[in-house]
Amino acid sequence: MLTADVYGAAGAAGLSAGWSVGSGGWSWNLLTDLRQMWAFPFMVNAFRAGTLIAVGAAVMGWFMVLRRQSFAGHTVATVGFPGAAGAALLGVGAVYGYVTFCVAAALVIAALPRAGRAAGGHESAVTGTVQAFLLACGFLFTTLYKGLLGGVTSLLFGSFLGITTAQVWLLFAVTAAVLGVLAVIGRPLLFASVDPDVAAARGVPVRLLSTAFLVLLGAAAAEASQITGSLLVFALLVMPAATAQILSARPAVSLALSVAVAVAVTWLGLITAYYSPYPIGFYVTTFAFAGYVVAYVMTRSVRFAGGRT
């Protein structure tokens, strides 16, 4: 979707037309604004893809934050860049590069031992080493490709140009598969995430669940990278989940809040980016961060007021 091959074709033409429609700014009528945007097929596909990505990233991110694997999630997200760049170099769709590298990185992290303090330090060191090496490979691939510089920008920071209906269906299939597997392993995974030692003592396959979760995380990161870019996919994975877990400690409520926040910031990012020449990833990250700050300040204020009464 974000390769230089498709970056400047129908999507760019549609965006130019979209700016001319929206050049007057907001109409202060949301329905009118949405109708104007959805008059262009590339924007319809952008909203469809963005919603799918938001739901998948929010659910996976909720478990990622709960399991304290944010660094692993960051690594899995960033290695999507060399994957997409390598795919562009080979002349295939960027989505295949995202999925291959993100899932492969997840398998490498899953192969590392997690028991004990020393093992945790080893895991972080190897994860950081893999991340640095693959990012360097990404810049090598873009140099060898000798394509448009705008393609690199979109790989790193995201774009909503050039999303096809076929790619939306592919995203739907990935999201459905990820959420379907997560629904099956959700309860034991929650148990293993909250108290892995007790879960292992009761016969829960903690190691297998950890590996399965990381593979699903890799698939979700590859999926989200196509909208937010590799450097900003972490925003959709961690910020809505962190915001939701601040607002509620109840798993079901917190998970629903994570999905709601992710969809809201993605839609706001798409709408704002439609009226702006700046990357969608910046807006998604900004709105998600603002939501986290508001939730944090609000909960701290409530606790402070409750402590004084």
Side-chain angles (χ1 to χ4, degrees), residues 128-155:
T129 301
V130 170
Q131 179 185 134
F133 172 71
L134 290 179
L135 283 175
C137 289
F139 285 105
L140 173 64
F141 295 156
T142 56
T143 302
L144 294 174
Y145 178 64
K146 302 183 185 302
L148 297 175
L149 186 60
V152 178
T153 302
S154 63
L155 290 177

Side-chain angles (χ1 to χ4, degrees), residues 197-262:
D197 294 332
V198 174
R202 294 197 176 183
V204 176
V206 175
R207 182 73 175 179
L208 179 61
L209 287 172
S210 178
T211 301
F213 171 74
L214 284 170
V215 171
L216 293 176
L217 181 61
E223 180 190 29
S225 295
Q226 297 174 73
I227 288 288
T228 63
S230 295
L231 294 184
L232 299 177
V233 60
F234 193 54
L236 272 182
L237 282 172
V238 70
M239 288 186 184
T243 302
Q245 292 184 23
I246 285 177
L247 293 174
S248 177
R250 298 174 60 184
V253 175
S254 181
L255 187 57
L257 285 173
S258 179
V259 173
V261 171

Side-chain angles (χ1 to χ4, degrees), residues 30-162:
L30 181 59
L31 293 179
T32 299
D33 293 333
L34 289 176
R35 278 198 294 265
Q36 288 180 351
M37 285 185 288
W38 291 344
F40 301 102
F42 82 101
M43 284 303 299
V44 175
N45 286 333
F47 274 88
R48 289 171 176 168
T51 302
L52 291 170
I53 288 170
V55 172
V59 175
M60 292 304 303
W62 188 86
F63 280 96
M64 181 189 74
V65 172
L66 181 68
R67 293 172 58 83
R68 296 178 175 85
Q69 288 188 300
S70 295
F71 183 55
H74 179 265
T75 299
V76 169
T78 53
V79 300
F81 164 65
L89 180 63
L90 294 175
V92 298
V95 62
Y96 302 108
Y98 280 125
V99 172
T100 300
F101 271 61
C102 290
V103 172
L107 289 172
V108 170
I109 297 172
L112 300 174
R114 289 183 53 82
R117 182 178 301 177
H122 178 66
E123 177 191 5
S124 297
V126 174
T127 300
T129 301
V130 170
Q131 179 185 134
F133 172 71
L134 290 179
L135 283 175
C137 289
F139 285 105
L140 173 64
F141 295 156
T142 56
T143 302
L144 294 174
Y145 178 64
K146 302 183 185 302
L148 297 175
L149 186 60
V152 178
T153 302
S154 63
L155 290 177
L156 291 173
F157 300 106
S159 172
F160 56 91
L161 300 181

